[in-house]
Amino acid sequence: MNRTRQIGFSYLFLFPSFLLTMVLGVYPIAWAIRYMFYEYKGFGAASFVGFDNFRRLLEDSEYWHSVINTFVYAGGKLLITLPLSLILAVILNQKLRGRNWLRAIYFMPTIISSAVMAVVFFIIFNSYNGILNQYLIKFHIISERIDWLGPKHAMLTTIIIAAWGAVGNYMLLFLAGLQNIPNDVYESSSLDGANKWQQFWYLTIPMLGPVLQIVIMLAIINSLKGYESIMVLTEGGPVGKTEVMYLYVYKLFFPTASGSLTEQQFGYGSAVGFVTAVIVGIITLAYHAMSRRLNKLQ
């Protein structure tokens, strides 16, 4: 086969994925960018409004409140998920009986749909007949039912549920990184008198650096974008306590029967979605720049 035919076959095999990317990736983005400058409610003619959607966004206190909630939610999720997944990976990297079963069990929450997972946890955390309150009262740990999805505890509950669903995924990535560290390094350090904690801090963490950087970046992006379990558990309530950025954007396109967003706002939703994507992009780039600087210092 000559060089020209080889190149032709390469383009032929690339064409289906290129077509799908254009139809399912590029076209929706171009559509949203166009409607950022229009008032459009999903039917009828769209009217051009220039930058009015962005001016409205600057004065939209509900959206900016959702931005603050997103940072609280993402920060809490990262604080729980990353250390826990790293500790689990280190433990399950040891020679334990049944460790493959344990790895599968811890990874299992990752393959369950977020909506299904949220329904299960809703049954557990329900304040009136939830399983958790029943057991806490039965064992005399609490005397009155706790409203886990109420204004006081809703954010913490959603963070715990989101962390539970994410730990297995990051644990697997850490585990892959740990298995690339040669045992000779640990054996040599043991001969030099290093204990387990010193091996973890001075050998495991530095040698896990590249994997750690990727895991942190993925965790930041996923935490800032996550909203599915919140939508099922609280719909952003009560009184906006768990309203996060992408849930707010979702409601502008697919409004709920209750709350302030009860009609489709495709134009304004496109503008809010664009600004939200920019915020996530800036945070991701800032982390990437910071991690590169730290690499140079090392």
Side-chain angles (χ1 to χ4, degrees):
M1 187 181 292
N2 59 37
R3 175 81 177 153
T4 306
R5 290 189 67 183
Q6 283 183 345
I7 293 173
F9 271 112
S10 299
Y11 281 115
L12 186 64
F13 283 114
L14 284 172
F15 180 73
S17 59
F18 173 77
L19 188 64
L20 283 174
T21 304
M22 293 299 291
V23 173
L24 301 177
V26 176
Y27 175 73
I29 292 172
W31 185 92
I33 289 173
R34 175 179 178 242
Y35 279 102
M36 288 191 306
F37 305 101
Y38 285 80
E39 183 181 353
Y40 181 52
K41 296 183 178 179
F43 54 87
S47 57
F48 183 75
V49 294
F51 287 94
D52 282 359
N53 285 329
F54 291 97
R55 293 190 192 98
R56 178 185 164 187
L57 176 61
L58 290 174
E59 299 170 356
D60 189 347
S61 59
E62 192 174 349
Y63 172 72
W64 294 111
H65 182 67
S66 76
V67 174
I68 295 170
N69 281 343
T70 304
F71 287 123
V72 174
Y73 172 78
K77 186 180 171 184
L78 290 172
L79 282 174
I80 296 173
T81 307
L82 292 176
L84 190 58
S85 54
L86 179 58
I87 291 168
L88 280 174
V90 171
I91 294 171
L92 294 178
N93 195 40
Q94 309 298 315
K95 293 178 181 176
L96 300 173
R97 180 177 291 180
R99 66 176 181 177
N100 288 334
W101 283 102
L102 289 170
R103 288 173 184 174
I105 289 169
Y106 282 110
F107 182 70
M108 201 175 291
T110 306
I111 61 176
I112 299 174
S113 160
S114 299
V116 174
M117 184 179 71
V119 170
V120 173
F121 275 98
F122 181 80
I123 295 169
I124 294 171
F125 284 100
N126 191 305
S127 60
Y128 298 104
N129 56 1
I131 299 167
L132 182 60
N133 272 338
Q134 288 181 20
Y135 275 99
L136 290 176
I137 290 173
K138 183 179 178 181
F139 291 107
H140 305 290
I141 297 171
I142 59 172
S143 57
E144 295 181 355
R145 297 180 186 278
I146 297 174
D147 189 3
W148 297 105
L149 299 174
K152 193 174 179 181
H153 303 290
M155 178 59 83
L156 180 61
T157 305
T158 54
I159 288 171
I160 292 170
I161 294 169
W164 181 85
V167 162
N169 192 28
Y170 301 127
M171 178 204 72
L172 203 67
L173 295 172
F174 280 132
L175 202 55
L178 288 170
Q179 290 178 352
N180 283 327
I181 300 175
N183 284 328
D184 298 350
V185 177
Y186 293 108
E187 289 170 2
S188 301
S189 63
S190 295
L191 292 174
D192 291 334
N195 57 34
K196 292 290 182 186
W197 169 250
Q198 288 170 327
Q199 287 178 343
F200 175 77
W201 190 252
Y202 294 108
L203 293 176
T204 304
I205 294 292
M207 296 185 79
L208 208 57
V211 176
L212 195 59
Q213 287 178 359
I214 293 170
V215 169
I216 291 174
M217 190 167 72
L218 290 173
I220 289 172
I221 294 171
N222 289 332
S223 299
L224 293 172
K225 288 172 63 181
Y227 72 93
E228 296 89 347
S229 59
I230 296 176
M231 186 173 65
V232 176
L233 281 166
T234 63
E235 288 189 1
V239 291
K241 291 288 183 182
T242 57
E243 187 91 271
V244 292
M245 291 189 297
Y246 275 99
L247 180 57
Y248 188 77
V249 174
Y250 175 86
K251 287 181 179 176
L252 289 170
F253 285 94
F254 305 100
T256 56
S258 58
S260 59
L261 305 174
T262 55
E263 61 177 6
Q264 289 178 323
Q265 302 176 64
F266 284 8
Y268 183 56
S270 299
V272 175
F274 174 78
V275 171
T276 303
V278 169
I279 291 172
V280 175
I282 289 172
I283 293 169
T284 307
L285 288 173
Y287 167 73
H288 186 62
M290 188 180 71
S291 63
R292 287 184 65 183
R293 179 167 290 186
L294 287 174
N295 280 340
K296 288 178 181 176
L297 290 174
Q298 291 172 356

